[in-house]
Amino acid sequence: MEPNQIDVYSHAANIGYAYTVISNNFKHIHLNVIGQRFDRIHELCDEYYQYFSKKADFFFELALQNLDSIDNPMNATMYSDIGVLEERNYNYRDAGTCMCAQLQSAIDAVYSLRDSAVAMADTSVQSDCDTELSYLNKQLNFFMRKRLDSVY
């Protein structure tokens, strides 16, 4: 296997780590939301938590197609520059802002993998990235924007 091709799969592992951090950040918001629209944010963050957890597994398994191993996902913060959320109370506006930031972080990570896949002409990984980007962009640029329109 060519060294650059390994980079594609290392990027996939890094997305797995990033998605693990993002998933746990959504779980944190889920557990610390307060105030009006509590139920909606609580439920939505749980949906995103589950989504990103499942997709982290997808990207880890993609990486392991060509890497010998990955580190324990508990160490995800060592491989990702996505910060760990620590606030204790998220009102609707704060929760929405943090959720948008998490979605944008996911988009940035997937674009990085997509760029590597394009450079290696790895169309299957590029296709996976395009599908993921379609979902993420719709979540951020349509659903979250509509949810937050009345707040800002």
Side-chain angles (χ1 to χ4, degrees):
M1 181 182 313
E2 295 177 35
N4 287 341
Q5 193 171 12
I6 291 172
D7 289 346
V8 170
Y9 295 95
S10 294
H11 270 101
N14 287 339
I15 292 179
Y17 297 124
Y19 272 33
T20 299
V21 174
I22 291 168
S23 175
N24 286 326
N25 280 341
F26 276 113
K27 180 57 94 173
H28 178 75
I29 298 168
H30 164 87
L31 295 171
N32 288 283
V33 67
I34 60 170
Q36 293 181 337
R37 303 181 191 144
F38 165 87
D39 291 328
R40 181 62 186 128
I41 293 295
H42 186 75
E43 178 183 312
L44 185 58
C45 283
D46 189 56
E47 290 172 19
Y48 281 137
Y49 163 76
Q50 291 178 36
Y51 176 83
F52 282 102
S53 179
K54 182 177 177 180
K55 290 304 279 194
D57 188 64
F58 170 83
F59 284 109
F60 284 137
E61 290 173 356
L62 175 64
L64 288 170
Q65 290 177 27
N66 285 302
L67 298 179
D68 292 333
S69 65
I70 58 166
D71 196 0
N72 186 322
M74 288 290 293
N75 296 322
T77 57
M78 293 172 38
Y79 302 94
S80 172
D81 59 358
I82 298 169
V84 174
L85 297 179
E86 297 180 358
E87 295 296 321
R88 294 293 175 222
N89 295 305
Y90 293 90
N91 62 30
Y92 188 79
R93 178 191 305 259
D94 294 340
T97 299
C98 288
M99 292 166 66
C100 288
Q102 297 305 298
L103 290 167
Q104 185 62 59
S105 293
I107 290 167
D108 295 343
V110 175
Y111 268 120
S112 177
L113 174 58
R114 187 183 187 285
D115 290 346
S116 294
V118 168
M120 288 304 301
D122 189 330
T123 57
S124 66
V125 173
Q126 180 183 342
S127 177
D128 289 335
C129 290
D130 289 340
T131 300
E132 182 67 0
L133 287 167
S134 177
Y135 170 80
L136 293 171
N137 279 301
K138 184 176 181 181
Q139 293 303 307
L140 178 61
N141 298 316
F142 177 68
F143 289 114
M144 288 306 297
R145 183 172 52 85
K146 293 290 187 179
R147 287 178 184 120
L148 295 175
D149 248 2
S150 64
V151 177
Y152 293 107

